Amino acid sequence: MGRNVVSTSQPLAAQAGLAMLQAGGNAVDAAIAAAMVLTVVEPTGCGLGSDGFAIVWDGQELHGLNASGRSPAAWTPEYFQKLGGAIPEMGWNAVTVPGAVSAWVALSQRLGKLPFAQLAQPAIDYARNGFPVSPTIARLWALGAQKLGAQPGFAECFMPDGRTPQAGEIFRSEAHARTLELIAATEGEAFYRGELAEKMAAHAAANGGAMTMEDLAAHRADWVGTVSQRFGDSVIHEIPPNGQGIAALMALGMLDRIDGGRGIGAHPLDSVETVHASIEAMKLALADLYQHNADGDHLQVASAELLHADYLAERAALIDPERASDPAYGTPRRGGTVYLAAADASGMMVSFIQSNYMGFGSGVVVPGTGISLQNRGHGFTLQAGHANCVAPGKRPSHTIIPAFAMHADGTPQMAFGVMGGPMQSQGHTQMALRVLRYGQNPQAAADAPRWRVTGGKGVAVEPHFDAAVVEALRARGHEVTVEAGNGVFAFGGAQLVLRQGSHYIAGSDPRKDGHAVAF
């Protein structure tokens, strides 16, 4: 609790953000500094070649930033047909233009206070002088290397002694430090139009990729505002498509329309009735998401149509309170990731997320730079006529999403997010339900066991989920599996910052090496 807070998935990143606040910066400065450090200390979820999104309350209005990258100009369905008829998970042909660097710059230029170079200094210091690898990251690092160790540049960067670092071991990357210095000195120009862009394009050409200098130079981060949905006495905001946040808004909108229009809340939070209804709403929302979500310039169904009150009521009516379903998408009538949150005493609140997509992403690392690249291209489809079909200069349907809640009176309430690929919109739904409808504090909400829709009637739950509720869900027809594996991959990690009058309450998820600091 405090008047200034930073909540991240790694203690060193949280401390870097707090240092910016203590130096006279604001919540945006804190978020950027923390994000830069995370590329160093948590490379298993993000890197210099990640994408990024943000929602910021500046004290007067809400801003939404989409800094996800677009596909190379050479990418067409025919391009991938020649490569075997699929978009790969690994290698250069999974890489869209990385956007996280542009997110840092855009946020700093529009809303920050401190010099951009100052924000990069903690990350530069950790890269150059080293940091102790935290336990969860060490485990994920080893798993990532098993899959990606042979990708071009990976071993040189992440296995310098022929192996991955162990927990507590000091890891250094001079190449990463020098790249951060170039980004800081040029405010990102070197990354998109200068020396670093040249190295990325050359490495792509040498390894069968299509990324060019022109693709990188054409990138821009876009201020896109938000899409929103009323949920009880709150209004939940998400970034518009290509992000998946609209699925959380749809699910919450349906939950407000069940039980004869009275909305969810009649039964205890973790009862089978509440969990079942939440799962069913989420399945309906995801069915629509996978059919309709795409680059905002290529949508075939507008966000407003998916969030229309009549359509949400129509979808909510499909929820059987006693039986699990396997829903199809509807047709509205026309009308690996790191998340962090920061807030300061002036009232500014930041919800920020950046990600490689699948752990280390594509596995590609540009030699001598420390630039590890995401694999967002794998999010496209090759299905002809689909809104998310791959095309030149197009953003793929995206999993990473920051969320923000406002009170119905227009005052800020909570910055929050949950990591973990397609878990994210499901996690947003569960966090909103716990904190905003049932009044749990942010740490209790982050600690609580989560569920995840897996397809059809499938639902995965964490091992500490109530066994009686699991059996009751099975009796309703849900095909429930208890996943005892790595909860970071399966159920993500969460950070939340809730405003309480003149101060904040922050929660950080123990599924990662989570940490929140305040003063």
Side-chain angles (χ1 to χ4, degrees):
M1 299 182 186
R3 289 188 173 88
N4 300 270
V5 297
V6 182
S7 182
T8 78
S9 55
Q10 217 279 354
L12 299 179
Q15 292 167 25
L18 188 61
M20 296 304 118
L21 290 167
Q22 292 172 325
N26 60 21
V28 162
D29 297 317
I32 296 168
M36 289 185 178
V37 168
L38 284 166
T39 70
V40 180
V41 302
E42 198 170 323
T44 54
C46 70
L48 295 169
S50 287
D51 278 350
F53 295 82
I55 301 177
V56 181
W57 172 257
D58 68 2
Q60 301 294 326
E61 62 178 310
L62 209 57
H63 305 267
L65 179 68
N66 182 338
S68 62
R70 297 167 176 83
S71 56
W75 278 18
T76 63
E78 293 73 25
Y79 177 88
F80 288 101
Q81 292 299 336
K82 292 177 182 178
L83 294 177
I87 302 173
E89 288 185 15
M90 298 179 285
W92 265 108
N93 284 307
V95 181
T96 54
V97 175
V101 170
S102 71
W104 306 338
V105 173
L107 287 166
S108 177
Q109 290 179 344
R110 185 166 182 171
L111 297 166
K113 288 175 64 178
L114 297 177
F116 187 71
Q118 185 175 348
L119 308 180
Q121 199 56 53
I124 293 167
D125 290 342
Y126 285 126
R128 175 161 290 135
N129 301 316
F131 65 95
V133 176
S134 53
T136 300
I137 300 309
R139 185 169 68 253
L140 298 180
W141 204 316
L143 290 171
Q146 291 175 15
K147 177 181 178 180
L148 300 168
Q151 290 301 313
F154 185 93
E156 173 193 316
C157 182
F158 294 120
M159 305 169 67
D161 299 317
R163 61 173 179 82
T164 60
Q166 298 177 5
E169 188 172 352
I170 300 298
F171 181 82
R172 299 175 178 84
S173 176
E174 177 61 26
H176 198 137
R178 290 196 303 267
T179 293
L180 281 166
E181 287 174 332
L182 265 176
I183 290 169
T186 64
E187 295 198 354
E189 281 298 301
F191 192 87
Y192 292 105
R193 283 165 280 276
E195 175 184 336
L196 298 172
E198 292 172 358
K199 290 181 178 179
M200 281 187 275
H203 192 243
N207 290 278
M211 188 81 67
T212 66
M213 284 283 290
E214 289 74 21
D215 293 323
L216 291 158
H219 174 75
R220 69 180 187 277
D222 297 319
W223 294 98
V224 294
T226 63
V227 288
S228 62
Q229 173 63 42
R230 180 77 178 254
F231 180 61
D233 294 329
S234 301
V235 180
I236 315 300
H237 291 259
E238 301 272 2
I239 297 292
N242 58 319
Q244 65 165 300
I246 193 171
L249 301 183
M250 293 178 67
L252 292 169
M254 292 177 216
L255 290 175
D256 249 0
R257 289 165 172 80
I258 64 169
D259 194 16
R262 289 182 291 273
I264 199 164
H267 300 279
L269 170 58
D270 291 309
S271 66
V272 65
E273 292 86 357
T274 300
V275 175
H276 168 78
S278 302
I279 289 170
E280 291 300 292
M282 198 72 244
K283 287 194 292 189
L284 287 159
L286 289 174
D288 277 345
L289 180 83
Y290 296 142
Q291 176 63 24
H292 301 302
N293 196 55
D295 186 325
D297 293 335
H298 296 264
L299 291 175
Q300 297 170 2
V301 175
S303 299
E305 295 168 11
L306 292 169
L307 295 175
H308 193 281
D310 291 343
Y311 181 64
L312 293 177
E314 177 185 310
R315 297 293 272 170
L318 299 176
I319 297 175
D320 184 332
E322 299 298 330
R323 298 301 303 168
S325 67
D326 183 6
Y329 65 87
T331 305
R333 286 179 285 276
R334 297 280 175 176
T337 302
V338 293
Y339 172 82
L340 62 92
D344 64 35
S346 76
M348 177 177 277
M349 299 176 69
V350 181
S351 181
F352 181 88
I353 196 162
Q354 63 187 21
S355 170
N356 286 336
Y357 191 18
M358 298 178 178
F360 280 99
S362 65
V364 174
V365 185
V366 180
T369 69
I371 299 173
S372 60
L373 291 150
Q374 37 83 330
N375 59 336
R376 283 293 165 188
H378 187 67
F380 281 118
T381 180
L382 295 178
Q383 180 183 337
H386 195 285
N388 190 42
C389 185
V390 68
K394 184 177 181 179
R395 284 172 161 147
S397 180
H398 226 286
T399 60
I400 66 171
I401 47 173
F404 203 98
M406 302 284 287
H407 292 287
D409 66 3
T411 56
Q413 186 173 19
M414 183 168 71
F416 66 107
V418 176
M419 297 162 261
M423 176 64 202
Q424 293 182 47
S425 57
Q426 304 187 53
H428 285 196
T429 300
Q430 292 171 68
M431 294 303 106
L433 192 63
R434 289 186 175 279
V435 179
L436 305 179
R437 178 56 56 88
Y438 282 90
Q440 280 195 332
N441 73 62
Q443 191 60 53
D447 291 345
R450 296 200 270 273
W451 50 262
R452 187 184 78 254
V453 171
T454 59
K457 295 182 181 181
V459 179
V461 300
E462 294 191 276
H464 51 307
F465 213 89
D466 187 323
V469 174
V470 169
E471 290 308 311
L473 288 170
R474 287 173 174 154
R476 281 170 161 77
H478 296 280
E479 297 168 0
V480 183
T481 57
V482 179
E483 291 194 1
N486 194 317
V488 175
F489 284 135
F491 299 97
Q495 273 73 44
L496 308 92
V497 171
L498 177 69
R499 184 167 181 167
Q500 292 279 303
S502 63
H503 70 285
Y504 304 96
I505 303 173
S508 190
D509 202 317
R511 291 167 185 81
K512 302 191 84 170
D513 298 305
H515 198 64
V517 293
F519 78 89

